[in-house]
Amino acid sequence: MRHFADLHFHSKYSRAVSPHMELDGLAAGAKQKGLTILGTGDFTHPLWFKELKNRLQPEGNGFYRLNDASVRFMLTCEVSTIASMPKGVKRVHHVLHAADLDVVAQVNDVLSKKGNLAADGRPTFGKTTPTELVELLMEVSRDIVVVPAHIWTPWFSVFGSKSGFDSIQEAYQDQAKHIFALETGMSSDPAMNWRVSGLDRFTLMSNSDSHSPHPWRLGRECNAFEFGEEQLSYAALWNAVREKDQTHFKYTVETPPAYGKYHWDGHRACGFSCPPEKTRQLNGHCPVCNKPLTLGVQYRVEELADRPQGVVPENAVPFKTLLPLHELLSAVTGKALTTQTVQKTADALIAKAGSELAVLLDLDPNDLTAVAGAFVARAVLDNRATAVSVVPGFDGQYGKPQLSDGQQRLNE
Ligand SMILES: [Zn+2]
Ligand SMILES: [Zn+2]
């Protein structure tokens, strides 16, 4: 059976997160999207952890269930480390995964000595290096999996232009041996990461980092696994990731990297954005305010890249590029994501296919046309062929999908 897994997002206990990011809202969002494995997010937060303990039932294989919901939960959270290093202050986000609520209780006990876990669903540990974090976690349990989060984003990531390192080894030192997977984040896709040969040994994963259960957020990036009901377990899933075992880890689902909030360089307040080559011509300065531009993910990848575009490393897990359905419908109709026009068409398509991912990946062209008309059908098929262009995002602003003949479609 195909399983789509989204292992990184936040609960209502994190800052700027929807109140619907609680267990029932997540289970409902997962069903609509077509996700069958979800992280819990935020397991370090005392109130959220209490909810997880009270409501989730262990399956005995490292996953947990909520009532009779179709989705399985994996215990996850994201934490932030900040440390003054010889080359400056380093701020890094890490996604943690655990197989057992008792292990999480021990992790929370250890981490509570490093920072205030109740302050935010994504806690911050000052004066803690990535190496120290992994060391502490491995002392609790070797089954904990640490995945550096959205590795290219400027402010809070292992390679970020504002606060990162130049290699995983430099960041995690002697603990780098415990790191085997990396989260590429919205603004980069595997093809961009393949340009950096130092990343070849790692498995690339994708998650939504969503702050709401909206279908155009939760699961917008995710991981496709194939497991029989009896085979599926926390250990089997991570083994497939570690080994890049493509009989079980089939592909990642990516939004176009330009859709991400930090793909290009720019200043949101100045309304200015540009690709890396232009930034270099400008010596990195904004032509509007003259201050240094926020350097995006593409710029940073090019700084560390030692290969041309188009190289596919041996045994790399493949990926599919897909815009969320609501974004596509919004681009077709010219209406906002939350409008009735967009929602009604999305609901009808999801009812036909069973889930949004099934609409995007599987629904037959004749069914697409019958339910939503020829223009929408064409947009969905263009999306499958990665033929929808996106005006690149920058400095915290999402990219904007554009159908080259969008207006014409409306008027046809
Ligand atoms: Zn983060
Ligand atoms: Zn500016």
Side-chain angles (χ1 to χ4, degrees):
M1 181 187 165
R2 183 171 67 178
H3 289 277
F4 288 106
D6 183 358
L7 301 176
H8 175 194
F9 46 78
H10 293 279
S11 80
K12 61 184 177 182
Y13 295 105
S14 284
R15 277 185 210 117
V17 171
S18 155
H20 300 295
M21 288 297 263
E22 37 73 42
L23 288 170
D24 300 292
L26 282 166
K31 191 167 183 219
Q32 190 180 9
K33 188 77 186 188
L35 302 165
T36 49
I37 300 173
L38 277 188
T40 57
D42 295 3
F43 70 46
T44 48
H45 194 279
L47 295 176
W48 185 237
F49 184 50
K50 204 168 153 191
E51 279 185 55
L52 300 180
K53 274 192 301 190
N54 287 341
R55 297 202 55 204
L56 294 180
Q57 299 298 322
E59 267 196 323
N61 57 6
F63 291 107
Y64 287 77
R65 293 272 198 173
L66 176 73
N67 307 326
D68 55 355
S70 54
V71 63
R72 288 178 166 87
F73 286 91
M74 183 190 289
L75 304 168
T76 62
C77 73
E78 182 188 36
V79 302
S80 178
T81 55
I82 303 183
S84 264
M85 311 282 284
K87 288 192 205 163
V89 177
K90 303 296 183 188
R91 298 181 180 83
V92 180
H93 286 182
H94 322 252
V95 188
L96 317 184
H97 312 74
D100 191 293
L101 283 166
D102 293 334
V103 167
V104 171
Q106 291 174 57
V107 168
N108 291 351
D109 189 45
V110 169
L111 294 181
S112 66
K113 297 176 180 89
K114 305 294 287 181
N116 181 1
L117 301 186
D120 190 2
R122 181 184 54 217
T124 297
F125 308 127
K127 297 192 181 132
T128 305
T129 64
T131 312
E132 286 162 349
L133 175 74
V134 176
E135 224 166 4
L136 286 172
L137 294 166
M138 290 301 128
E139 277 170 21
V140 174
S141 167
R142 287 297 179 102
D143 293 335
I144 295 169
V145 175
V146 181
V147 176
H150 43 71
I151 56 173
W152 296 103
T153 51
W155 303 97
F156 299 101
S157 77
V158 69
F159 297 139
S161 60
K162 298 281 184 188
S163 66
F165 300 84
D166 286 342
S167 72
I168 295 295
Q169 190 61 42
E170 186 190 353
Y172 291 92
Q173 300 177 16
D174 63 331
Q175 299 299 304
K177 61 179 183 279
H178 298 298
I179 308 294
F180 58 86
L182 308 171
E183 185 187 75
T184 55
M186 300 264 302
S187 299
S188 87
D189 65 7
M192 292 170 69
N193 287 268
W194 293 339
R195 297 189 56 198
V196 183
S197 64
L199 304 187
D200 285 358
R201 86 164 174 90
F202 301 97
T203 309
L204 303 177
M205 302 186 76
S206 280
N207 297 302
S208 71
D209 202 355
S210 180
H211 290 199
S212 90
H214 287 135
W216 56 92
R217 295 274 189 261
L218 190 67
R220 56 193 169 177
E221 295 207 330
C222 59
N223 309 281
F225 293 97
E226 182 74 39
F227 279 108
E229 194 61 19
E230 296 302 310
Q231 297 173 306
L232 184 62
S233 69
Y234 176 93
L237 184 149
W238 285 115
N239 196 50
V241 173
R242 187 194 299 266
E243 302 298 328
K244 302 187 192 184
D245 168 8
Q246 288 166 44
T247 55
H248 295 300
F249 189 5
K250 306 302 281 186
Y251 56 88
T252 58
V253 173
E254 311 281 333
T255 57
Y259 179 64
K261 291 195 280 190
Y262 293 101
H263 186 64
W264 268 8
D265 313 321
H267 272 168
R268 199 172 175 179
C270 299
F272 177 79
S273 67
C274 65
E277 57 269 27
K278 177 79 182 170
T279 304
R280 286 189 285 268
Q281 284 168 20
L282 294 166
N283 287 320
H285 284 77
C286 173
V288 180
C289 72
N290 215 26
K291 292 191 182 121
L293 291 165
T294 301
L295 300 178
V297 162
Q298 193 182 341
Y299 189 98
R300 193 59 187 135
V301 170
E302 286 183 9
E303 272 188 334
L304 295 187
D306 55 357
R307 280 183 186 144
Q309 276 172 356
V311 176
V312 182
E314 203 184 327
N315 204 28
V317 174
F319 68 97
K320 293 182 195 276
T321 305
L322 288 175
L323 279 162
L325 177 62
H326 291 71
E327 287 283 10
L328 214 53
L329 297 173
S330 174
V332 174
T333 60
K335 300 274 188 343
L337 290 166
T338 48
T339 54
Q340 279 289 321
T341 313
V342 168
Q343 304 273 4
K344 272 169 76 176
T345 308
D347 289 349
L349 285 165
I350 290 167
K352 179 72 185 174
S355 72
E356 187 201 324
L357 282 163
V359 174
L360 294 176
L361 289 162
D362 307 327
L363 195 59
D364 183 82
N366 293 327
D367 288 336
L368 286 166
T369 309
V371 174
F375 310 132
V376 169
R378 207 190 311 159
V380 172
L381 298 177
D382 283 355
N383 195 29
R384 276 180 207 167
T386 322
V388 179
S389 68
V390 178
V391 180
F394 63 97
D395 198 19
Q397 178 169 308
Y398 280 111
K400 293 188 183 67
Q402 277 198 329
L403 300 172
S404 52
D405 56 348
Q407 205 51 44
Q408 183 195 332
R409 288 175 196 213
L410 280 176
N411 298 335
E412 256 174 50

